Each structure stands twice: as C-alpha cells, then as structure tokens.
Amino acid sequence: MSAEPRTSQPNSDRFAWWREARFGLFIHWGLYALPAGIWQGREIAGIGEWIMRRAPIPVREYEQLAGRFNPVEFNAESWVQLAKEAGMRYIVITSKHHDGFALFDSKASDYDIVDATPFRRDPIAELAAACRKHGLRLGFYYSQAQDWHDPDADGNDWDYDVAQKDFARYFERKCVPQVREILTQYGPIGLIWFDTPRTITPEQSETLTQLVHTLQPDCLVNSRVGHGAGDYASQGDNRIPFCVKREPWETPATLNDTWGFKQNDHNWKPVGTLLRLLVDIAGKGGNYLLNVGPTALGTIPGPSIERLRAIGRWLKTNGEAIYGTQPSPFLAEQPWGAVTQRPGKLYLQLFAWPKSEFVLRGLQSRVGRAYLLADPTQKVGVTQSQAGLLDLTELRLTLPASAPDPDVSVIVLEIAGEPAVDPAPIQQPDGVLMLETCLADVTPAAGSDFRLNSDGHVENWTTPGDALSWSCKVATPGRFAVELWSSAPRGAAWTGGQTLTWTLDGAAQTMVVQQDDKAPYARSPHQSFLISRLGEATIAQAGQHTFSVRLDGVAADDATGLLARGVRLTPLA
Ligand code: FHN
C-alpha cells in the first residue's frame, strides 16, 4: 500500500499547493450509507463501505439501493464550509468506490447517481462548484481494480465466476472511460486517489497515471495506482511512520473506525488524539487526509462536525505551525511531541505542559527568542548549554504556569539559518533512550534485502548477519531494561523465535525473541507494538556508547522476519 511512487517530484511546483495544504477532507459516500452497517437486521462487521462484500450481497439486491438513494439534505456548500471551518485545504471524495456505483454523471455506465437514483443530481458537479467558489482543491477517489458490480473487475466472487473474468475488458470498458470523465467534466482537479490496485498490471497503472497527466498535467496521482507509478506515497490506512520522510506522503485516516457511514460505529477519536495526529504527521512531512462518512440523506454526522470544528479552532490559533511548514530537523520522533519549521523558526508542539521547565536535548542551533504561538506576549525564558565530554546540547525553556492549549501547545523558537541538530540518539531527560531504526546504521548480510522501509521499520530481517547499530549519547548512567519494539506484518500474525545477539560496548548477549508485552502506539490508536525483552544492560559512565543487534537465526516458519521499530533502554529503579 505504501510502495514508494517512482515519479516523486518533491520540489516540483505541482506539489506547491499540496505541501502548503497539509490537511484535507476525505469523503466516503455512496449507496452503502443506506444500510449503514446493517443488512437484513444483521450487524455486518467491518468498515461500512465494504458491506456488499462482507454480507455478502448479490449485485441484483445491492443495486436496488440506488432506487432508494435520495440524499435530499445534501448541500455541497455546507460540506465545503465545514472543511474550511476545519482548516482543511482540499477535499477528496469517492467518485466510485469498490461497489462500482458512480457518484457522478457517467456516460460509461448507467450505474450512477444521476441515472439510477431518484435524486438525479450530480453531487460531484455541485461540490466542484462549491470548492471553486471557496478556494478549496478537489480530488477524486476512484477504485480502479475492485468493482463488485462489474463481472470482469476484481473483487466480486459471489456473483461472478472468477475464471470467466477478463480484467482488461473491464479496464477498457469502464475504468479508463470513467477516469477520463472525472478529469474532463469538473474543471481542474487537484489529485486522483486510486485505491487497492489488486490484479492491475504495471502497464495499466502506467496507463492511468499517463491519462491523468495528459488530461490534467498538474493533477497529482497517489501511489495506490499501483506498481510504483504515481506521484506521492499513500501510507497504509490510519498508519503513520515513526520518522521524517522527505518525499511527499499522506495518511488517510478515520474519525471513528469506518470510512462509509455506519450507524453503530461510535468509536470517535477524541479531539486531542486528532490534533496530535495532525501535528505529528506535519512534523514528519506528511499530509493528513481525515475522513467523514455522510449519511444517506447527505448530512455529515454530528460527532464528525464537532471534531472538525474543534480542529479548525486550534488551527486558527496555531496554523502558522502547520501550513506550508517543513518537517522536523530531528529525523526520529520526539517523545514529547512534534516539531515543524519554516525559515528562521522552529515550532515545538508539546502534548503535555511541563510544570515549569521544558528541556530539549540535541538542538545545536542558537535560539534567539522563544514565545508561545497562542500568545507571543507571554515570556518564555531560554537557556542553552553544551556539556563538555558528551558534547550534549541542552535547551531549557522556562514556561508560563498554564498551557495555552489542553491538547497541543506550540512554542516558537527563533533561530538564525538552517536548524542544526545532533544526529545521534540521545537519552531523554526521563532516562529513556530510544534507538530508532531510522537513526541506525543498517548493515545487511551478503545478498540480503534487509532495509529501512517507508514506515520507519526495518524489514526483511531474515538473513543471519543482518545487523543494526547505533552510536548513542547517555547522560545518566545506570541499569536499563532492554526491549525490542516490533510490529505485526499487515494482515499477518507476528512471529517470534529469532535468535538475536545484542552488544553494548563490546559485551554481547544472545537470546531468542518472544512476545513479552504489547504497547499501544501513543500517536495512533490504530497501531501498536509487540515488546520483546532482550535483557538488562549496565552503563557505568556517561558518554558515547555503541549498541548493536544482529540476527543469528530465524524460526523455520518465519517468512517475513521482525518488522522492528527499534530498541528501547528504560532505566531500572
Ligand atoms: O478498501 C478501501 C477502504 O474501503 C477505504 O476506501 C480505504 C481508504 O484508504 N482504502 C481501502 C483500503 O485500504
């Protein structure tokens, strides 16, 4: 899903608006909003827009929904106004999802909102007009491979005989003509958001990318067009990387668990979580595409509206720290929050407000003045030091007693020139030392494909000899618990049983990896880590230390290897 696109052009002008925007509205809307998660009285598990497949519902029954789809309360202006109030700068709406139903007036298929529903209006045209009026960019989601309505497309094996399918026939008959329609009927389009490439061929992915670029040269294409074509990387759903990514990327994310409206999904994320995701993504250089699933009447659910408005209020005060900013100068995640920058300024975005003082290690730039973005008149005291032996830079900020915001408070640091940071992993003031794989020297064994992936995991850790090492700075020596943090591969079970040897300053220990614990990912409720205890380490002296970990052997059933995020050293009492 997050395969890096081949044609990334991070410095191209085509990306100027997208980089400035940082925050967009995703809209999943279609016939699935009618059953809203319930079919024939039965609650269907999973995301709402997948109800046709999950139930499963035969095409002839599902398409009857079109006869009842009459979203009389739909008002394009109010959707666009809401996006604006939320501080969003672009909208991406499902022009056709996997169910095959087009939300626009299509000539290539009658299975569309104008021809098949009593509504008879084209909401995409109305939305395009409202976006133009209010200065938002519009993009279209298009499911290019899965089309459960079409006998030749991917996905529907409950109505159609898979052996009889001819994907190329569907591609030429419906997919290409409809992509052409959405690019020619609605004026300038910001981006086309393809999804689930499945069996599409490299040539077909290329055809779609070229079609978009030919019809609208400035229109961006996401990586889910498939096979490394496209302009920018879509992360996995609700997945955020652990470190800064320099090439353009975006995380599609939900407010609750579903994308399409589901009447019983009340698992709404708190505003604080959403704000932390927004700033974390901006700090790592990405865009946040946050979803709403309107009802079958055309209204956006109340809990979505409340949350979007709250984010908008925060952005009114703090938008300078988000729009058009550059990612953090620190490659690895900061445990206390996120950092963004623009020339002459660093924005420290704190998730918790320290009692009186905030300590930041590793910033080497001289700080001139510091102030609260929400209230520049409040004084923030600045002291900077550099501890001799370790060459450890420390910035101490004396803060006002109360946080300017309960969720994310922004401190502005004025600096001269490009920000300079210490590239080494540094022990935090609370004693924890996180050795992130994005800061490691990654050494594959001969012939191995062991490497850092775009999430900030190392992957293909399967060849004995594959190793990671860090030269790190420890300010407070002592005894530490040593843990390996890894993730389960997407859609597969986590496998342990690997033999690892880890070495601290030359002293080695060998052990077999098992799952000892689990930890939620503090940034994203949809991600978590498996924790494997590697043992204990004693660091006798403050200073620079070398930690390495090498794979010695894997269990017979371990096809994927450990997807490791890093090694964490936590002080023992
Ligand atoms: O299958 C779809 C899903 O319904 C939804 O549209 C998400 C949004 O990113 N994309 C696919 C799964 O990754």
Side-chain angles (χ1 to χ4, degrees):
M1 279 299 173
S2 59
E4 298 305 305
R6 178 177 45 75
T7 53
S8 292
Q9 299 172 34
N11 299 315
S12 148
D13 272 341
R14 298 163 65 224
F15 278 94
W17 71 268
W18 195 79
R19 286 217 177 271
E20 175 67 29
R22 285 278 174 252
F23 188 31
L25 179 68
F26 212 178
I27 305 177
H28 274 70
W29 197 39
L31 298 182
Y32 40 80
L34 268 171
I38 295 179
W39 191 251
Q40 296 174 338
R42 198 162 52 93
E43 180 93 39
I44 307 299
I47 43 185
E49 69 284 4
W50 272 69
I51 193 166
M52 181 177 176
R53 180 180 180 113
R54 293 264 158 81
I57 307 171
V59 164
R60 297 299 156 235
E61 274 178 56
Y62 188 86
E63 62 185 9
Q64 299 300 316
L65 291 172
R68 293 199 283 122
F69 193 68
N70 195 14
V72 289
E73 289 178 26
F74 167 70
N75 180 328
E77 281 272 325
S78 72
W79 286 14
V80 173
Q81 293 277 16
L82 176 65
K84 276 200 95 162
E85 264 183 87
M88 292 158 154
R89 300 281 172 86
Y90 63 111
I91 292 181
V92 181
I93 184 163
T94 47
S95 65
K96 184 199 81 167
H97 204 268
H98 308 330
D99 64 358
F101 179 76
L103 208 59
F104 62 97
D105 190 10
S106 175
K107 306 283 167 289
S109 158
D110 283 346
Y111 193 45
D112 74 63
I113 192 161
V114 175
D115 295 312
T117 77
F119 191 52
R120 303 201 67 79
R121 279 160 52 192
D122 181 342
I124 298 292
E126 294 178 29
L127 212 51
C131 281
R132 249 192 318 275
K133 177 169 161 199
H134 294 282
L136 264 72
R137 300 265 176 166
L138 181 63
F140 296 137
Y141 173 108
Y142 188 86
S143 173
Q144 77 275 35
Q146 292 198 77
D147 186 314
W148 303 329
H149 190 256
D150 193 286
D152 287 315
D154 279 353
N156 187 338
D157 54 10
W158 58 99
D159 286 291
Y160 305 124
D161 179 357
V162 177
Q164 299 297 312
K165 289 188 182 204
D166 179 348
F167 185 82
R169 206 155 53 192
Y170 149 79
F171 189 73
E172 297 303 331
R173 174 172 25 79
K174 184 168 180 184
C175 175
V176 170
Q178 285 200 330
V179 171
R180 190 182 292 278
E181 286 173 346
I182 55 179
L183 283 156
T184 51
Q185 293 179 179
Y186 304 101
I189 299 306
L191 59 92
I192 301 287
W193 215 98
F194 292 106
D195 202 6
T196 65
R198 298 268 178 126
T199 60
I200 201 165
T201 64
E203 293 71 31
Q204 287 162 336
S205 295
E206 190 61 34
T207 298
L208 289 177
T209 305
Q210 289 309 323
L211 180 64
V212 176
H213 289 160
T214 304
L215 293 172
Q216 296 215 20
D218 290 337
C219 186
L220 305 175
V221 175
N222 73 333
S223 57
R224 294 194 193 182
V225 68
H227 302 286
D231 299 310
Y232 72 88
S234 288
Q235 292 298 114
D237 295 348
N238 283 306
R239 299 195 75 85
I240 47 175
F242 314 124
C243 48
V244 170
K245 282 166 59 107
R246 302 276 168 211
E247 68 285 2
W249 64 274
E250 175 187 64
T251 288
T254 51
L255 278 166
N256 44 356
D257 289 329
T258 186
W259 303 88
F261 178 65
K262 234 187 143 180
Q263 56 188 291
N264 290 334
D265 182 346
H266 305 298
N267 194 21
W268 301 101
K269 294 174 186 68
V271 172
T273 303
L274 301 166
L275 285 174
R276 286 191 285 272
L277 280 163
L278 171 70
V279 305
D280 186 59
I281 289 170
K284 291 168 179 166
N287 279 17
Y288 187 32
L289 185 62
L290 187 55
N291 182 72
V292 296
T295 66
L297 278 178
T299 56
I300 294 177
S304 301
I305 296 177
E306 281 163 35
R307 282 160 179 77
L308 295 188
R309 287 195 174 138
I311 299 174
R313 284 193 293 275
W314 185 90
L315 277 166
K316 252 203 157 60
T317 307
N318 299 291
E320 183 192 318
I322 302 294
Y323 301 120
T325 54
Q326 295 293 317
S328 172
F330 296 96
L331 196 57
E333 196 170 283
Q334 296 291 306
W336 46 265
V339 186
T340 51
Q341 56 166 312
R342 62 176 75 246
K345 286 179 182 175
L346 284 179
Y347 302 95
L348 310 185
Q349 317 208 21
L350 273 61
F351 295 172
W353 197 242
K355 283 227 157 46
S356 62
E357 194 180 56
F358 173 66
V359 180
L360 174 64
R361 288 182 172 165
L363 177 67
Q364 294 168 331
S365 304
R366 281 273 126 218
V367 176
R369 194 167 73 99
Y371 56 90
L372 304 184
L373 185 55
D375 182 1
T377 62
Q378 288 212 46
K379 244 180 93 71
V380 173
V382 179
T383 327
Q384 278 183 289
S385 63
Q386 192 155 4
L389 221 155
L390 260 183
D391 202 20
L392 180 70
T393 49
E394 217 166 55
L395 168 73
R396 290 178 178 270
L397 300 176
T398 320
L399 302 173
S402 50
D405 188 273
D407 299 308
V408 180
S409 299
V410 183
I411 301 169
V412 187
L413 305 181
E414 289 183 349
I415 55 164
E418 287 289 307
V421 301
D422 193 330
I426 300 173
Q427 185 184 30
Q428 292 296 315
D430 65 0
V432 172
L433 173 61
M434 184 72 195
L435 302 172
E436 301 269 5
T437 52
C438 64
L439 297 181
D441 283 332
V442 180
T443 312
S448 158
D449 195 20
F450 179 51
R451 60 190 160 97
L452 188 69
N453 72 12
S454 65
D455 293 344
H457 285 117
V458 279
E459 63 181 20
N460 305 324
W461 204 3
T462 47
T463 309
D466 288 340
L468 296 167
S469 73
W470 295 265
S471 174
C472 49
K473 292 184 175 180
V474 175
T476 312
R479 275 175 59 243
F480 296 84
V482 182
E483 297 166 342
L484 178 79
W485 284 43
S486 64
S487 309
R490 220 184 127 97
W494 182 89
T495 341
Q498 300 81 0
T499 307
L500 294 181
T501 296
W502 60 271
T503 309
L504 179 64
D505 297 332
Q509 285 191 38
T510 298
M511 44 77 58
V512 175
V513 173
Q514 58 178 37
Q515 183 191 331
D516 296 303
D517 214 341
K518 208 175 164 158
Y521 183 27
R523 306 281 150 119
S524 162
H526 295 265
Q527 285 165 262
S528 60
F529 301 105
L530 298 148
I531 296 177
S532 307
R533 291 193 198 108
L534 300 187
E536 284 182 23
T538 299
I539 299 179
Q541 282 182 345
Q544 193 119 4
H545 296 270
T546 305
F547 187 100
S548 61
V549 55
R550 185 191 67 221
L551 181 74
D552 286 340
V554 289
D557 59 346
D558 184 13
T560 46
L562 284 165
L563 267 182
R565 174 193 171 175
V567 174
R568 185 180 150 109
L569 275 69
T570 312
L572 290 165

